[in-house]
Amino acid sequence: MAESNFGKAMYAVHQGTYVVKLIGEIRVPICSTLDAFIERMFTDRRLSSVLIDLSETSVIDSTALGLLAKIAVRTRKKFQQKPLIISTQDDVTRILDTMGFEKVFNIVYERPVRSPELTEIPKVPCDENSAFDKVLEAHRVLMDMNDNNRETFKDVVAALESRAAEPVTSEASRHQDSTTKLHRIN
């Protein structure tokens, strides 16, 4: 898939509120970028709340959903509140509903009246090991959200954990095997 098919992550900060806008296809290759941003965001002392705008998200995979769930978990822990998600795309909203996101996010189903000026989140390269780690972590977070997700993702997480425990093989065969597994998962 060409780089241009992958999504874009944008952000703005206004009076302690981080606005994160995900545009296009949000899949594994952008997850290192998104995860690094989440880590930086939660070290910002000015952070007081998080708004995630999915109004221009056309596709979102389970790894990206797991990273969004990570935001919800950390926001609840730090501020005892739910972050806000804007979701106006029917397919994306259906996925959020299926995953039980309404329990950990406040969800608004209409576009914001006004958007802040956004800056692209600096890209972080996503190599095979980084992608694997993000996929495993994200699916663990999704499993912890509710019983339905636990059932849905238990085999995926078990397969990933099994793969993580395997002895290192040749780089070429490991790369081919990991790429195959990541494509099946996402």
Side-chain angles (χ1 to χ4, degrees):
M1 187 180 293
E3 180 69 26
S4 62
N5 289 344
F6 293 125
K8 193 160 47 166
M10 309 287 287
Y11 80 102
V13 182
H14 180 70
Q15 297 179 346
T17 297
Y18 270 73
V19 176
V20 179
K21 184 168 188 157
L22 303 178
I23 301 168
E25 294 185 13
I26 307 303
R27 299 181 187 267
V28 169
I30 199 171
C31 288
S32 289
T33 296
L34 190 55
D35 194 46
F37 179 78
I38 292 167
E39 293 303 319
R40 280 193 314 275
M41 179 174 69
F42 278 96
T43 61
D44 185 345
R45 292 182 183 169
R46 298 171 299 159
L47 173 67
S48 61
S49 61
V50 181
L51 181 153
I52 301 164
D53 184 349
L54 302 178
S55 63
E56 293 183 41
T57 303
S58 57
V59 174
I60 188 162
D61 72 11
S62 55
T63 302
L65 289 169
L67 290 174
L68 296 184
K70 179 179 178 178
I71 292 172
V73 168
R74 292 183 73 177
T75 301
R76 183 179 64 230
K77 184 176 180 181
K78 188 168 183 160
F79 303 112
Q80 294 74 50
Q81 67 183 17
K82 295 178 184 179
L84 180 69
I85 283 185
I86 297 171
S87 182
T88 60
Q89 304 296 326
D90 290 341
D91 290 344
V92 172
T93 299
R94 195 171 9 267
I95 291 169
L96 297 177
D97 291 344
T98 301
M99 293 288 117
F101 270 51
E102 76 284 348
K103 291 184 172 111
V104 295
F105 285 94
N106 291 314
I107 302 176
V108 175
Y109 302 100
E110 36 189 77
R111 287 182 184 266
V113 174
R114 198 178 120 201
S115 268
E117 188 167 327
L118 300 166
T119 303
E120 187 165 1
I121 295 173
K123 288 186 169 84
V124 174
C126 184
D127 63 21
E128 173 191 341
N129 290 329
S130 175
F132 181 85
D133 292 343
K134 301 301 173 233
V135 169
L136 180 55
E137 177 191 13
H139 286 83
R140 284 178 174 157
V141 172
L142 286 174
M143 279 182 62
D144 289 343
M145 283 180 55
N146 59 53
D147 290 338
N148 186 47
N149 288 358
R150 186 170 289 105
E151 186 61 31
T152 300
F153 295 114
K154 71 179 181 183
D155 292 338
V156 171
V157 169
L160 292 168
E161 289 173 339
S162 172
R163 192 268 188 193
E166 290 175 4
V168 177
T169 58
S170 78
E171 192 61 33
S173 68
R174 216 177 81 190
H175 175 73
Q176 182 178 4
D177 186 48
S178 294
T179 303
T180 302
K181 286 181 183 179
L182 285 174
H183 285 294
R184 281 195 307 251
I185 292 166
N186 292 299

